């Protein structure tokens, strides 16, 4: 009888057999971090499918792991799987609404999905949160050029990107990911050429 009572008390304290199948939060964190490391390693080796599976596992073990969601979104964006990238990028933005990298990923996916308003919001918020980074204005310029066709906004955003990083040439911009769609867009190319000439003329003469 005494043994049965002790066993009952033990099961009450540990939660019984069902609890043994439920990992403790710290164990879930460990598994999430381990899966995330595996995802990065797989991606570095070009094993995209393995990297994606590991990133999803990391996010599953710890749903608030923004690093896991960001890696997953980056993988899907890099693979140009826009429909698949939309849900995790939406989730990432909800987890990290003030993280520029998360917002830029969301803006890129929104452009490819034709979601102009959402893309503008994320791009402009990223630009505000990282005032020295040209990535935000460049994202806004992409939205304006590809979805809105507003070249006034494109010019203002590109000028802001140049102001933030004057040492970074935009000459190859039409070959960058997401910008290839504008390689044959005459208004965009003419605008870019004009801005490049202005930047070149503004450079101080070599001693």
């Amino acid at each position: 009888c005494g043994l049965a009572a002790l066993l009952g008390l033990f099961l009450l304290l540990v939660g019984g057999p069902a609890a043994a199948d439920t990992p403790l939060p710290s164990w879930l964190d460990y598994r999430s971090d381990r899966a995330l490391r595996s995802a990065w390693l797989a991606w570095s080796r070009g094993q995209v499918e393995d990297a994606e599976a590991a990133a999803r596992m990391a996010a599953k073990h710890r749903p608030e792991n923004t690093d896991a969601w960001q890696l997953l979104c980056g993988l899907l964006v890099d693979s140009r799987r826009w429909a698949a990238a939309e849900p995790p990028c939406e989730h990432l933005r909800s987890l990290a609404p003030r993280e520029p990298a998360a917002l830029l990923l969301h803006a890129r996916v929104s452009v490819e999905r034709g979601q102009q308003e959402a893309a503008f919001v994320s791009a402009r918020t990223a630009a505000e949160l990282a005032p020295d980074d040209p990535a935000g204005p460049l994202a806004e310029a992409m939205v304006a050029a590809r979805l809105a066709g507003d070249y006034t906004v494109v010019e203002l955003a590109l000028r802001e990107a140049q102001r933030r990083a004057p040492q970074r040439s935009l000459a190859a911009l039409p070959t960058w990911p997401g910008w290839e769609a504008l390689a044959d867009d005459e208004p965009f190319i003419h605008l870019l050429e004009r801005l490049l000439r202005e930047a070149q003329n503004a450079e101080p003469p070599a001693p």
Side-chain angles (χ1 to χ4, degrees), residues 39-170:
W40 278 112
L41 182 60
W43 197 9
S44 70
R45 293 174 174 172
Q47 300 165 343
V48 179
E49 291 184 3
D50 291 343
E52 181 185 340
R56 289 188 183 279
M57 187 63 67
K60 178 181 178 181
H61 287 320
R62 194 169 68 198
E64 73 281 5
N65 188 341
T66 56
D67 290 337
W69 288 105
Q70 185 167 318
L71 176 56
L72 176 59
C73 292
L75 282 163
L76 295 171
V77 166
D78 195 55
S79 301
R80 297 175 177 266
R81 294 168 56 196
W82 309 117
E86 187 175 351
C89 284
E90 288 281 1
H91 184 68
L92 175 61
R93 186 182 63 162
S94 70
L95 286 177
R98 297 187 62 77
E99 173 54 52
L103 292 166
L104 291 172
L105 283 168
H106 181 264
R108 176 69 196 286
V109 172
S110 297
V111 167
E112 301 299 340
R113 298 291 285 168
Q115 299 164 352
Q116 179 178 317
E117 183 177 355
F120 264 134
V121 169
S122 288
R124 287 168 173 166
T125 304
E128 292 170 2
L129 291 172
D132 296 325
D133 190 346
L138 284 173
E140 182 180 359
M142 182 189 291
V143 180
R146 289 190 52 184
L147 299 184
D150 188 336
Y151 290 94
T152 299
V153 173
V154 175
E155 180 173 353
L156 290 173
L158 288 180
R159 287 187 182 279
E160 176 61 15
Q162 287 179 314
R163 186 193 68 79
R164 294 185 182 195
Q167 76 287 352
R168 184 180 186 182
S169 174
L170 299 180

